Amino acid sequence: MLILALDTAGRVASAALCRDGAVIAHCERDSMMDHSRTILPVCEEMLAGQGLSLKDIDVFAAVCGPGSYTGIRIGVAAVKGFAFGCDRPCVAVSTLEAAAWADNAVSGPKLAVVQARPGEYYAARFEQSGAQTVRVTPDGVMTQDEIAALWQREPLRICGSGAQALCAALGIPESQAGAVQDASSAARCAYDRAGRGQAVSCHDIKPSYLRPTQAERMKQQKEEKQL
């Protein structure tokens, strides 16, 4: 099974190819969040390097959030377009689950985190047992104080793009800060999910923001003023 995965949820856009669970190619570009201009060239460069085309892909995957609202939309839209054009299924991968997969060389309990607002993080707990990455809690939002209290009760390993800053803020040893998610970890997660029959139609993959978008907040504020 050949999987193409995209991650545009953060500052760096990345793409990866995974064949039968092993990542065979990875390409990334720090575009300062200008993913709409960079993600397609990144894919083209990576596929050309492997002598492949989109029609060779069996499953397309996208990191669907949480993270940058605009970035997530770009990656999900690209994958939906690829899958529709090639008549292939898709897998939506949580940013936090991709982080847990990036850190799966270390066993034990872990908390995947992505910075949300100041003092808040998108977070989810996972358990790593050998090669198995098992979700313990759904994606949600935690304050820095809540994470501090949790870590005092159970010193979890912290992974994800928010790990380094969070560990520094809470005085957690740097050795407890784990890996950061990217398209490679998303591809490996997608391979596992597809093997479990969890791939879906391109029409069913969608972003997961966890919080209302700015447009939704503005609409709600306008409706409240009219009451």
Side-chain angles (χ1 to χ4, degrees):
M1 183 189 299
L2 184 61
I3 291 178
L4 170 62
L6 306 183
D7 178 8
T8 55
R11 170 172 166 161
V12 178
S14 61
L17 287 168
C18 174
R19 177 175 279 125
D20 299 333
V23 175
I24 61 172
H26 176 92
C27 190
E28 65 180 36
R29 197 74 49 80
D30 186 345
S31 59
M32 300 290 288
M33 301 298 296
D34 193 9
H35 300 328
S36 61
R37 293 192 177 195
T38 58
I39 193 59
L40 295 183
V42 163
C43 289
E44 291 172 357
E45 176 184 334
M46 183 181 64
L47 287 167
Q50 297 296 312
L52 297 169
S53 71
L54 289 174
K55 292 184 178 179
D56 295 312
I57 305 301
D58 298 305
V59 177
F60 292 94
V63 172
C64 63
S68 160
Y69 290 2
T70 301
I72 292 165
R73 286 196 296 270
I74 291 168
V76 171
V79 161
K80 287 170 74 74
F82 292 162
F84 180 79
C86 299
D87 192 23
R88 298 290 192 273
C90 299
V91 174
V93 178
S94 157
T95 314
L96 300 172
E97 191 166 6
W101 273 83
D103 200 57
N104 70 350
V106 181
S107 295
K110 59 192 64 181
L111 183 73
V113 295
V114 172
Q115 181 79 55
R117 296 173 181 171
E120 291 185 343
Y121 291 82
Y122 300 116
R125 294 180 63 180
F126 297 85
E127 180 75 30
Q128 188 68 41
S129 178
Q132 294 297 313
T133 303
V134 181
R135 180 183 285 277
V136 177
T137 65
D139 292 356
V141 179
M142 296 183 71
T143 66
Q144 187 169 292
D145 290 342
E146 289 172 334
I147 295 174
L150 173 63
W151 199 85
Q152 287 296 324
R153 295 194 302 270
E154 183 181 7
L156 302 162
R157 184 172 172 82
I158 311 294
C159 60
S161 59
Q164 190 172 13
L166 178 62
C167 287
L170 298 182
I172 295 174
E174 189 174 319
S175 61
Q176 288 296 102
V180 176
Q181 71 282 349
D182 60 16
S184 290
S185 59
R188 292 189 290 112
C189 177
Y191 173 75
D192 179 77
R193 297 264 301 277
R196 297 173 186 270
Q198 296 177 5
V200 299
S201 162
C202 64
H203 302 293
D204 296 322
I205 184 175
K206 59 183 180 180
S208 174
Y209 301 125
L210 292 188
R211 288 186 180 281
T213 64
Q214 182 179 2
E216 290 171 333
R217 293 196 302 270
M218 292 176 65
K219 179 182 178 182
Q220 182 179 359
Q221 291 170 0
K222 182 177 180 181
E223 290 174 346
E224 288 174 351
K225 289 180 179 179
Q226 292 175 344
L227 294 178

